[in-house]
Amino acid sequence: MRIDAGACSDVGQLRTGNEDSFLVDDRLALYAVADGMGGHQAGEVASAVALEALRAAVASGQAIDAAIVRANAAVFEKAATDRGLTGMGTTLTAVIVIGESTLLIGHVGDSRAYRIRDGAIEQLTDDHSLVEELVREGRLSPEEAEVHPQRSIITRALGIDPQVEVDLYTLEARTGDRILVCSDGLSNMLRDADMLRIAALESDPRLAADRLVDAANEAGGEDNITVVLVDVLEAPPPTAPDPEALAAASPSRTPVPTPAPEVAVPTPRERRSRLRTLGGALLYVLPVLLIVGMGIGAVDYYAHHTYYVAFKGDHVVVYRGVPGGILGWQPTVETTTDLHKSELSPAAIDQIKRSGKGSLARATQIVANLTLSTTTTTAPTTTLPTTTTTHPRTTTTRKSTAPTGGP
Ligand code: MG
C-alpha cells in the first residue's frame, strides 16, 4: 500500500500552551494524535510520553493495541514518579498500515478517526466521553451533545489507571481513502460536513491538514487543534469476495476485544470499588496526615492538589485549593462551569455545599452529576463513569500560532 500523510497542530485561540501531540512515522507506517490533560504543562508531557512509548513499542514489534497498553503504562509510571505530573492523562488514536490492504486503528479517549471515501465522511471511532455515553444510552440527542457544556469530560484516557481498555478497528483500505485523525479541538469546532468540504480543497494531506486547523481557528479555536491525514495513494483493488478476508477486513466499527494484558485486569466493578476506596481513603486520610505534621512542604503540596466544588456568585465553579485557604495559600478558580444556581434543585445546592474536597477527577465527577441532574430527571448516578478527567480550561486570550507537538 502506498501512503502519503500530513499533519498540523496549533495552540488555538484561547489556550496558552499546546497539550496535543502527533506522530507521523512513515517508516513504521504509524500515525497518531494524542490530546493531553493535566494542567501546568503536565498534559504536554502526557501526550508526548504516550506517543514516544507507542512508537517504541511498535518499533519493537508489538501489535498496535499492545503498544497502546504500553503507552498507558508509560504515562501512568511517569505520573507516579513526579508529583508535579500527578493526575495527568491523554487520549490516543493511532492508525497503522498492516500489509497491502489493511489499516488498524487503536483508540482511547475522545480524539477521533474519520474515513473520507467517495465524497462522504464517516466517523470510525466511538468517543469515550460523558456526553457520548449519554447519547448511547438515549438520554441526550446527538444535537444536544454537540453543544453540551460538559462535552470535554472523557471517561477513558491513558495514564489514569494501571490498565486500559483499547478499542481496535480493522479497515480494508481502498485507493483514494483519506483517514482523518484529530483532537477534539477540531471536531468540537467543525461539523463533519465542514471537515469533508475543507479536506476536499487540497489533495496534498499537509495542505489539507493546515486548512482544517485554520478553519477550526476561524470557528473560535477554543482548544488545541491537531489533525493527521493519512491518504491511501494506492491499495490493491478489491478481490473476489473471500469470506474469511471479508470477515477480517470489513469496515467494521465493532471494537475487537483487546487481548488480556499479562497482569490480571480488574472487572469494571472491582475497578470502581477500588477507585472509590482509594478516593475515599485519600480524601479523609490525607488531611489528617497533613494536619498531624507532614510539614509546610506537604501542606503546600496538598493545597495545590486539592479541589472542591462551590458557588462563585450564582455559578458553579471548581476551585483548586482548600476552602478558606491554608497557610496563606488561597484557592483559585480552576474551571467555571455553565451551571447556574437557578437551574439547580435545593437538593443539588445542598449537595454542593456538603461535597467537600478531593481530587480534580472527583470534583469533575460532581459537576458531571449536577449536569446530568439538570439534563435528565431520571438519571441514576450509578451509571456514571468513575474515571473522568477534564481538559483544563484557561481564560486567557493570548494567541500563539507556532505549531508544536509531534516528533
Ligand atoms: Mg482537546
Side-chain angles (χ1 to χ4, degrees):
M1 194 182 327
R2 271 204 311 127
I3 293 285
D4 191 18
C8 183
S9 184
D10 189 75
V11 70
Q13 303 291 318
L14 298 184
R15 300 296 183 90
T16 52
N18 191 347
E19 299 189 312
D20 289 357
S21 295
F22 65 84
L23 176 66
V24 172
D25 189 321
D26 292 318
R27 193 179 60 82
L28 294 172
L30 176 65
Y31 310 91
V33 167
D35 178 349
M37 65 211 77
H40 299 276
Q41 281 77 53
E44 282 177 46
V45 176
S47 59
V49 165
L51 290 187
E52 178 47 32
L54 174 82
R55 195 201 58 73
V58 169
S60 73
Q62 293 202 43
I64 189 72
D65 46 352
I68 293 176
V69 168
R70 180 64 212 121
N72 176 66
V75 179
F76 188 79
E77 286 158 17
K78 181 91 177 167
T81 55
D82 184 340
R83 72 180 198 183
L85 302 175
T86 304
M88 72 174 178
T90 184
T91 73
L92 201 166
T93 302
V95 182
I96 189 165
V97 178
I98 301 290
E100 274 308 295
S101 62
T102 303
L103 299 173
L104 292 183
I105 295 174
H107 166 69
V108 174
D110 69 348
S111 298
R112 289 180 176 178
Y114 293 85
R115 177 175 57 200
I116 298 171
R117 172 185 281 182
D118 298 335
I121 186 165
E122 180 192 5
Q123 186 180 333
L124 301 168
T125 49
D126 288 327
D127 295 347
H128 302 135
S129 68
L130 179 67
V131 293
E132 277 302 313
E133 292 197 5
L134 294 176
V135 169
R136 281 196 283 275
E137 289 168 12
R139 287 150 65 180
L140 211 60
S141 73
E143 293 73 29
E144 287 169 327
E146 274 183 18
V147 294
H148 199 283
Q150 261 70 48
R151 64 184 184 274
S152 62
I153 295 178
I154 63 175
T155 51
R156 217 193 285 176
L158 301 190
I160 306 299
D161 208 41
Q163 279 86 36
V164 71
E165 191 185 341
V166 179
D167 288 355
L168 188 64
Y169 302 84
T170 307
L171 305 174
E172 162 237 5
R174 283 197 212 153
T175 300
D177 281 353
R178 171 171 271 179
I179 306 297
L180 187 166
V181 187
C182 65
S183 61
D184 64 341
L186 185 84
S187 51
N188 281 342
M189 289 290 106
L190 301 180
R191 291 171 185 277
D192 291 4
D194 295 323
M195 289 189 222
L196 178 64
R197 179 178 52 78
I198 294 159
L201 296 174
E202 301 283 354
S203 57
D204 184 312
R206 287 154 286 269
L207 299 178
D210 290 349
R211 287 256 195 164
L212 286 161
V213 168
D214 288 347
N217 267 324
E218 281 158 23
E222 290 174 11
D223 193 1
N224 305 146
I225 311 151
T226 300
V227 178
V228 171
L229 290 173
V230 181
D231 286 357
V232 179
L233 298 183
E234 196 179 341
T239 49
D242 168 355
E244 216 166 278
L246 271 182
S250 65
S252 158
R253 294 194 54 197
T254 310
V256 176
T258 309
E262 284 163 17
V263 265
V265 180
T267 66
R269 181 178 294 177
E270 285 169 349
R271 205 178 300 166
R272 268 200 297 278
S273 110
R274 194 183 296 176
L275 278 167
R276 212 173 287 137
T277 314
L278 187 67
L282 277 177
L283 190 62
Y284 295 107
V285 172
L286 201 54
V288 173
L289 286 178
L290 292 170
I291 290 161
V292 165
M294 283 182 66
I296 290 171
V299 174
D300 181 65
Y301 175 76
Y302 168 63
H304 283 76
H305 289 77
T306 302
Y307 298 83
Y308 65 98
V309 181
F311 287 104
K312 185 179 185 192
D314 286 334
H315 279 278
V316 177
V317 301
V318 175
Y319 280 103
R320 180 160 172 257
V322 179
I326 184 167
L327 291 181
W329 197 82
Q330 292 302 316
T332 56
V333 174
E334 179 75 6
T335 308
T336 301
T337 75
D338 298 318
L339 287 168
H340 195 268
K341 203 178 218 170
S342 61
E343 301 170 314
L344 298 170
S345 66
I349 292 170
D350 189 47
Q351 190 200 336
I352 291 173
K353 289 177 179 164
R354 290 187 292 105
S355 62
K357 54 198 181 296
S359 67
L360 179 57
R362 180 183 175 279
T364 301
Q365 183 68 68
I366 291 168
V367 171
N369 286 344
L370 291 167
T371 303
L372 199 56
S373 73
T374 61
T375 307
T376 164
T377 52
T378 56
T381 53
T382 47
T383 59
L384 280 168
T386 55
T387 54
T388 56
T389 310
T390 54
H391 298 244
R393 293 179 188 179
T394 59
T395 54
T396 52
T397 53
R398 186 158 65 84
K399 184 192 172 192
S400 158
T401 53
T404 59

